[in-house]
Amino acid sequence: MIYTSSPLQRNLICLLICLIILSGGCATLPDGYPKEQSFVIEHTDNTDLGVAVSRWMQTNDGLSGFYPLQSGSDAFAARLRMIERAEVSIDAQYFLMKSDLAGHIFSQELLMAADRGVRVRFLLDDIFSTVSHEELFILDAHKNIGVRLYNPIATRGVFYLNFLGDFKRANRRMHNKSFTVDSQITIVGGRNIADEYFDLNTDTEFEDFDVIAIGQVAADVGESFDLFWNSKRSLPLDAIDVQFTTEQLDKVRVELINDFREAHESIYADAMTNPELTDLLENGKSLHPAVWEVISDVPAKLKAPVAVEKQHLVNRISELKEMAHNEIVVITPYFVPLDSGLEFWKSITDQGIRVVLLTNSLASTNHIAVHSGYSKYRKRLIENGIELYEARVDAIENMQDIPSPPDNRTLHTKLIIIDRELVFAGSLNLDPRSIELNTELGISIASADLAEELANEFFAGLAESAYKVTLDEKGKLIWEGVVDGQQVTEHSEPSSSRWRRLKAWFLKIVPDSQL
């Protein structure tokens, strides 16, 4: 049953229902389109990466090694360096890719790897990716590259009507992000393939986090990739009814090459020769040896609602949180706890465990509807003992080396640090969409050194990068922070315009289950 609180809400829901009914005959794409199955290439120990990884593991008790990628430029450079060193295989799985500088460089690097004989498998969710089909077809046309779209929306007819016509299917997305080379080295985290994730966007920086990992952990990530690559909703480009002329494809090829040349003459020329990344990839320096666990949802989660006990990833993370004794640090761009989440976090703080939560402010978020859902829980979170912080949109950190730093900052990091002993990094947002509708991927890393390093960096910059949200003597929300070295207190959503606040109020009509 649907409950609404106003005539406006009822009218909007009726309009949505009408659109769904009208779109009932719209185009859809079938599950199980004919395709060949393929799997991770094993026995790659004789590759250059394999030899280097084996040597490192022999001196580190057979453990896998981990290194945080916090800078966007370093995160992109690491991917490019890994592509250049690939000898056997590249498996890339992303939620989003754009036809921008980062996307063009990434595509051109994949083509160059395929020219060397490297097998490339590229799996991309279809819903928010704006990379052109021409670019994907150019990649897929190479004999050593396969491109598949996950759960794509039909291109014939009107996109939004196609979406609504198959809403139950289209609303469930593959949000996993991984990048694995030669089954020896992998990157897992929150970044997609677009300028804003790699310090290339002059308007907004997406402050994000990945972890680069070597050893058996890469093979474990590969097993998760195979499940999605071979699933029924992973469709080859042949299933997409699109045709291009030779002239259209040639034009896109020229754009790819030009952007690639431009990048190697710009800031990425420096990033590609970063000595720390060189030591990392050549000698394994700075890696943290650790016991790990790759935690992944499975494709079946996208077919139908999954019972709570079968939400594998979030249940495992809850188990890890319940093992805490002293402190849990949570960084998440989107946080909609629902009443069940409030009870869970209260059960943690009731044990005397410190919980520090950083999420986006209204000014910094890129999804206002999610902030609207989150905002109704703020007061109760604080009353339940959570130390709540919201990211400042104008706090651009660690950007001094970029010629034209962006104007605004959006928090996109998904990171949990438990007792400064264990780190969880991945694609999971703490909202109903990630928990119930999308599939996610992450790694838990049992490294006190890494956890302590990340926790120290977090707390060192917290006061000047975020507002602490508390309650005044009347029980009203206030925002406290340090701006330009001065302590400030705000009594309404900081740095947000009246129009943005109006949109946040209006979007409270969106059900929490869709956030």
Side-chain angles (χ1 to χ4, degrees):
M1 183 176 293
I2 298 174
Y3 295 91
T4 63
S5 59
S6 72
L8 174 61
Q9 290 176 317
R10 288 193 290 272
N11 291 338
L12 286 171
I13 290 174
C14 288
L15 176 60
L16 177 62
I17 293 172
C18 289
L19 285 172
I20 293 173
I21 293 172
L22 288 173
S23 62
C26 292
T28 59
L29 293 171
D31 282 346
Y33 189 90
K35 60 180 183 288
E36 292 185 7
Q37 287 197 335
S38 65
F39 298 91
V40 166
I41 297 176
E42 300 177 340
H43 309 300
T44 59
D45 291 346
N46 61 340
T47 62
D48 285 347
L49 281 172
V51 171
V53 169
S54 295
R55 183 170 59 244
W56 187 91
M57 291 177 66
Q58 287 172 5
T59 60
N60 288 277
D61 300 323
L63 297 173
S64 287
F66 302 87
Y67 179 82
L69 292 170
Q70 302 190 72
S71 157
S73 59
D74 283 351
F76 196 45
R79 287 166 170 82
L80 301 186
R81 294 287 293 276
M82 286 168 59
I83 294 174
E84 290 178 350
R85 295 198 62 183
E87 297 177 49
V88 175
S89 64
I90 297 172
D91 291 333
Q93 180 181 19
Y94 285 102
F95 173 68
L96 180 152
M97 181 176 176
K98 293 184 179 180
S99 287
D100 54 15
L101 183 59
H104 288 176
I105 297 167
F106 186 75
S107 293
Q108 183 62 24
E109 286 277 10
L110 292 181
L111 286 166
M112 293 166 64
D115 286 342
R116 302 194 307 268
V118 176
R119 186 194 73 175
V120 178
R121 298 187 296 174
F122 186 23
L123 181 60
L124 184 65
D125 192 87
D126 180 58
I127 191 69
F128 289 123
S129 289
T130 59
V131 59
S132 68
H133 279 139
E134 293 97 323
E135 191 170 337
L136 295 178
F137 270 79
I138 288 171
L139 291 172
D140 193 62
H142 197 292
K143 66 178 182 178
N144 291 326
I145 300 179
V147 178
R148 293 181 181 176
L149 296 180
Y150 205 90
N151 202 15
I153 308 301
T155 55
R156 289 183 289 110
V158 180
F159 173 86
Y160 291 106
L161 292 182
N162 290 339
F163 180 91
L164 290 171
D166 200 5
F167 183 76
K168 286 185 178 180
R169 167 191 172 129
N171 191 41
R172 311 179 80 90
R173 309 310 312 177
M174 180 195 75
H175 196 240
N176 309 40
K177 294 136 185 170
S178 68
F179 183 75
T180 306
V181 169
D182 289 352
S183 300
Q184 297 289 338
I185 185 168
T186 190
I187 294 177
V188 171
R191 289 184 173 95
N192 294 296
I193 305 300
D195 285 354
E196 55 266 33
Y197 297 94
F198 302 116
D199 299 343
L200 280 172
N201 190 308
T202 57
D203 294 325
T204 299
E205 173 208 1
F206 271 43
E207 186 177 289
D208 217 322
F209 184 89
D210 294 318
V211 63
I212 190 168
I214 67 168
Q216 179 61 38
V217 62
D220 291 352
V221 171
E223 290 183 12
S224 173
F225 179 92
D226 280 348
L227 289 176
F228 285 86
W229 179 259
N230 294 312
S231 70
K232 291 183 177 181
R233 294 197 175 181
S234 170
L235 301 187
L237 291 190
D238 291 345
I240 310 300
D241 187 18
V242 179
Q243 301 294 325
F244 299 108
T245 65
T246 301
E247 291 76 14
Q248 287 174 308
L249 296 179
D250 286 343
K251 180 181 178 181
V252 174
R253 284 193 186 94
V254 170
E255 291 178 357
L256 296 180
I257 294 171
N258 287 342
D259 278 349
F260 180 80
R261 289 173 178 168
E262 176 186 336
H264 279 269
E265 297 172 358
S266 66
I267 59 174
Y268 279 95
D270 294 330
M272 290 292 287
T273 56
N274 181 314
E276 188 169 8
L277 279 178
T278 299
D279 280 345
L280 176 71
L281 296 174
E282 298 290 341
N283 307 309
K285 290 185 178 179
S286 304
L287 286 167
H288 297 273
V291 174
W292 77 94
E293 180 183 3
V294 173
I295 310 173
S296 175
D297 287 319
V298 296
K301 184 181 177 184
L302 298 177
K303 294 181 180 180
V306 176
V308 172
E309 61 271 15
K310 293 185 178 181
Q311 293 172 359
H312 176 65
L313 187 145
V314 72
N315 287 337
R316 182 62 183 130
I317 294 175
S318 295
E319 291 172 358
L320 295 174
K321 292 173 184 172
E322 290 171 350
M323 294 166 58
H325 296 94
N326 302 303
E327 176 187 84
I328 302 176
V329 173
V330 179
I331 308 172
T332 178
Y334 317 118
F335 185 68
V336 184
L338 307 181
D339 289 338
S340 57
L342 288 175
E343 293 178 7
F344 172 83
W345 288 111
K346 188 175 187 301
S347 72
I348 298 293
T349 57
D350 281 350
Q351 300 175 53
I353 297 170
R354 182 189 188 192
V355 178
V356 183
L357 170 66
L358 173 64
T359 190
N360 271 306
S361 62
L362 176 57
S364 67
T365 187
N366 64 323
H367 288 299
I368 296 178
V370 178
H371 183 87
S372 297
Y374 145 76
S375 63
K376 72 185 73 169
Y377 297 98
R378 282 187 294 205
K379 185 175 180 180
R380 283 182 287 172
L381 286 167
I382 296 167
E383 290 172 341
N384 288 348
I386 305 293
E387 295 180 36
L388 182 60
Y389 291 83
E390 293 182 358
R392 280 178 49 199
V393 69
D394 55 350
I396 306 299
E397 298 179 303
N398 303 318
M399 306 291 285
Q400 296 87 350
D401 297 332
I402 297 177
S404 300
D407 299 323
N408 301 313
R409 164 188 179 235
T410 291
L411 180 70
H412 202 255
T413 297
K414 306 100 163 49
L415 184 65
I416 300 172
I417 307 168
I418 300 175
D419 284 344
R420 306 199 181 198
E421 294 180 351
L422 185 141
V423 172
F424 175 82
S427 65
L428 179 75
N429 299 307
L430 295 182
D431 57 24
R433 172 159 294 280
S434 284
I435 293 170
E436 298 177 4
L437 298 177
N438 296 344
T439 60
E440 308 288 351
L441 170 70
I443 305 175
S444 71
I445 306 163
S447 168
D449 288 342
L450 177 59
E452 184 73 28
E453 173 187 320
L454 294 175
N456 287 341
E457 290 180 5
F458 171 78
F459 284 109
L462 189 58
E464 294 188 348
S465 65
Y467 290 99
K468 184 174 185 180
V469 188
T470 60
L471 302 176
D472 64 15
E473 64 278 3
K474 296 181 180 180
K476 301 292 186 180
L477 292 174
I478 57 173
W479 288 257
E480 298 176 315
V482 178
V483 180
D484 297 329
Q486 301 295 318
Q487 185 73 36
V488 299
T489 300
E490 303 283 353
H491 294 272
S492 61
E493 307 274 5
S495 303
S496 58
S497 66
R498 183 176 299 178
W499 172 238
R500 198 169 181 85
R501 295 176 195 176
L502 179 61
K503 287 194 290 185
W505 170 82
F506 176 77
L507 288 171
K508 288 181 179 180
I509 65 171
V510 179
D512 285 354
S513 61
Q514 294 300 313
L515 300 175

